[in-house]
């Protein structure tokens, strides 16, 4: 149930990210926090690295990418008419 709702949340952001500016920050920080939590739990419970390493890499990479592109999306886009 919870992962379905998280998936719907990310789909909503993917279809119209510029309309949901504040939610992009929440998504980026949420993925980074989830990656950190998985890292701590994986070390604490001494899981095999293959169990949680791919999840952590996914969370950190996509959290950083969301934060990077959120900053890029906030910058105004120069059109050809404005540059001429």
């Amino acid at each position: 149930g919870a992962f379905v709702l998280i998936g719907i949340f990310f789909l909503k952001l993917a279809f119209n990210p510029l309309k949901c500016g504040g939610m992009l920050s929440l998504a980026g920080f949420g993925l980074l926090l989830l990656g950190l939590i998985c890292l701590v739990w994986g070390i604490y419970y001494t899981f095999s690295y293959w169990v949680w390493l791919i999840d952590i890499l996914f969370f950190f990479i996509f959290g950083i990418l969301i934060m990077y592109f959120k900053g890029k999306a906030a910058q105004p886009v120069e059109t050809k008419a404005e540059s001429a």
Side-chain angles (χ1 to χ4, degrees):
F3 287 110
V4 172
L5 293 175
I6 292 170
I8 292 170
F9 171 72
F10 279 107
L11 278 175
K12 178 173 172 42
L13 289 177
F15 283 118
N16 198 355
L18 296 179
K19 187 176 179 184
C20 306
M23 298 305 277
L24 284 175
S25 296
L26 178 66
F29 285 125
L31 284 173
L32 292 174
L33 180 64
L34 189 56
L36 184 64
I37 290 170
C38 286
L39 177 68
V40 170
W41 278 23
I43 293 170
Y44 181 76
Y45 289 109
T46 62
F47 289 144
S48 170
Y49 289 112
W50 296 112
V51 172
W52 50 272
L53 185 62
I54 295 172
D55 290 335
I56 291 170
L57 288 175
F58 173 82
F59 294 140
F60 283 146
I61 290 170
F62 282 99
I64 290 168
L65 285 174
I66 287 174
M67 298 307 290
Y68 173 76
F69 285 115
K70 180 191 87 63
K72 288 289 217 181
Q75 297 174 356
V77 178
E78 184 177 321
T79 62
K80 290 182 181 180
E82 292 173 355
S83 63

